[in-house]
Amino acid sequence: MFKQFLSVMLLFAAVLSASAQDTRCYETRIYYTHPGRLEALLARFRNHTTKIFEKHGMTNVGYWIPLHEDNKLIYVLSYPDRAARDASWKAFGTDPEWKKVQSESELDGKIVAKVESIFMKATDFSPKIKSSKSKKERVFELRTYTTNTGKLPDLLSRFRDHTLKLFKKHGMTNVGYWVPQDAPASQNTLIYILAHDSREAAKKSWDEFRNDPEWKEVQKASEANGKIVSKVESVYMDATDYSPMK
């Protein structure tokens, strides 16, 4: 009887785990504006674009402006899956409301010079990614890790088992963790976002993290068979006034 009960409980736990896994398709989009046109882009998103996105089934996750850059907007959307994403963007592109907004906003010239897009899936250890408006202003940090060949599983294990807990220990907020969907980045890249109380707090947290004896032991043990990370990119960002995540 006990064995049957245990089997049922294990099955129930497996079902719960599967249902809890975030299977949505995420997309990071980076817009580079023509000189002097960032404010026009922000106004268009604030007054129109985010609402039209929602109208077509897209979920606005967060919108950020990189610090010390005057022509870039970074934002993240989510969709039920990749097919839904394509359908939503097709509907958005042909929406008369959007066409009118685009035409009127570009009377003084084109706004966007270049767009970059990365399709992503949440890792199994990513916190639940949702809107979260903090009572105080926070600084966000977008970090991209490129691993050496074959080392992405080792990096994910290190984050899953140790790094997230150590980040939290040193005052950093884990926002979301993703792996790109498309090769070759899907084989060697981890993208994640942290939140800090300020740039000063971020520096203090990172200094404490890097000097933590526990982290040093974890890093040493995980790299017994070779270095894991070959490249790290970090971008500090402020949330826009209309971002669902602040």
Side-chain angles (χ1 to χ4, degrees):
M1 178 68 76
F2 177 75
K3 288 183 178 180
Q4 289 179 329
F5 174 76
L6 182 60
S7 296
V8 170
M9 292 304 294
L10 289 173
L11 177 60
F12 181 64
V15 170
L16 282 178
S17 177
S19 63
Q21 177 64 42
D22 188 348
T23 60
R24 290 177 289 176
C25 170
Y26 288 86
E27 184 179 9
T28 294
R29 294 178 65 85
I30 305 172
Y31 285 18
Y32 299 83
T33 69
H34 289 286
R37 300 292 278 158
L38 180 60
E39 287 304 321
L41 179 65
L42 297 179
R44 188 164 75 184
F45 269 91
R46 179 186 301 111
N47 298 327
H48 306 285
T49 312
T50 56
K51 300 179 184 68
I52 303 176
F53 281 170
E54 292 176 352
K55 172 183 174 182
H56 294 291
M58 310 184 208
T59 299
N60 296 293
V61 176
Y63 290 79
W64 300 274
I65 303 169
L67 301 183
H68 312 303
E69 295 189 56
D70 58 6
N71 71 330
K72 188 185 294 186
L73 172 68
I74 299 173
Y75 67 98
V76 176
L77 300 173
S78 72
Y79 322 88
D81 52 41
R82 189 78 168 258
R85 181 267 176 200
D86 293 344
S88 291
W89 274 99
K90 183 177 180 180
F92 172 82
T94 58
D95 188 320
E97 182 184 359
W98 161 245
K99 289 185 175 182
K100 182 174 182 292
V101 165
Q102 183 181 35
S103 177
E104 292 177 351
S105 65
E106 295 183 346
L107 290 175
D108 294 325
K110 287 284 188 180
I111 293 176
V112 178
K114 184 175 72 170
V115 176
E116 294 176 354
S117 173
I118 304 171
F119 296 105
M120 312 179 299
K121 60 181 179 181
T123 66
D124 60 350
F125 54 82
S126 180
K128 185 176 181 181
I129 301 164
K130 57 185 180 179
S131 299
S132 54
K133 294 188 177 181
S134 175
K135 293 181 180 179
K136 56 185 177 181
E137 292 292 325
R138 297 188 292 177
V139 169
F140 292 82
E141 184 180 5
L142 173 64
R143 294 178 67 86
T144 303
Y145 286 15
T146 303
T147 70
N148 289 309
T149 303
K151 290 292 188 176
L152 182 59
D154 293 335
L155 180 65
L156 298 180
S157 293
R158 190 165 75 186
F159 268 85
R160 181 186 300 109
D161 299 335
H162 305 286
T163 312
L164 267 72
K165 300 181 186 73
L166 288 169
F167 282 170
K168 185 176 181 180
K169 172 183 175 182
H170 292 292
M172 308 186 218
T173 299
N174 297 294
V175 174
Y177 289 78
W178 303 271
V179 172
Q181 290 186 350
D182 299 324
S186 59
Q187 305 302 312
N188 67 357
T189 304
L190 172 66
I191 299 169
Y192 66 98
I193 296 177
L194 298 173
H196 309 277
D197 288 341
S198 64
R199 278 297 303 274
E200 293 74 19
K203 182 181 185 307
K204 181 175 183 292
S205 292
W206 278 111
D207 287 344
E208 291 177 352
F209 169 81
R210 294 184 180 108
N211 290 315
D212 189 321
E214 183 181 356
W215 162 244
K216 290 182 178 181
E217 284 297 317
V218 166
Q219 184 180 37
K220 181 179 178 181
S222 65
E223 296 184 345
N225 296 318
K227 296 285 285 185
I228 292 176
V229 178
S230 62
K231 183 180 178 182
V232 175
E233 298 173 80
S234 171
V235 179
Y236 284 96
M237 314 177 295
D238 283 334
T240 67
D241 59 287
Y242 53 83
S243 176
M245 185 180 294
K246 293 183 180 176

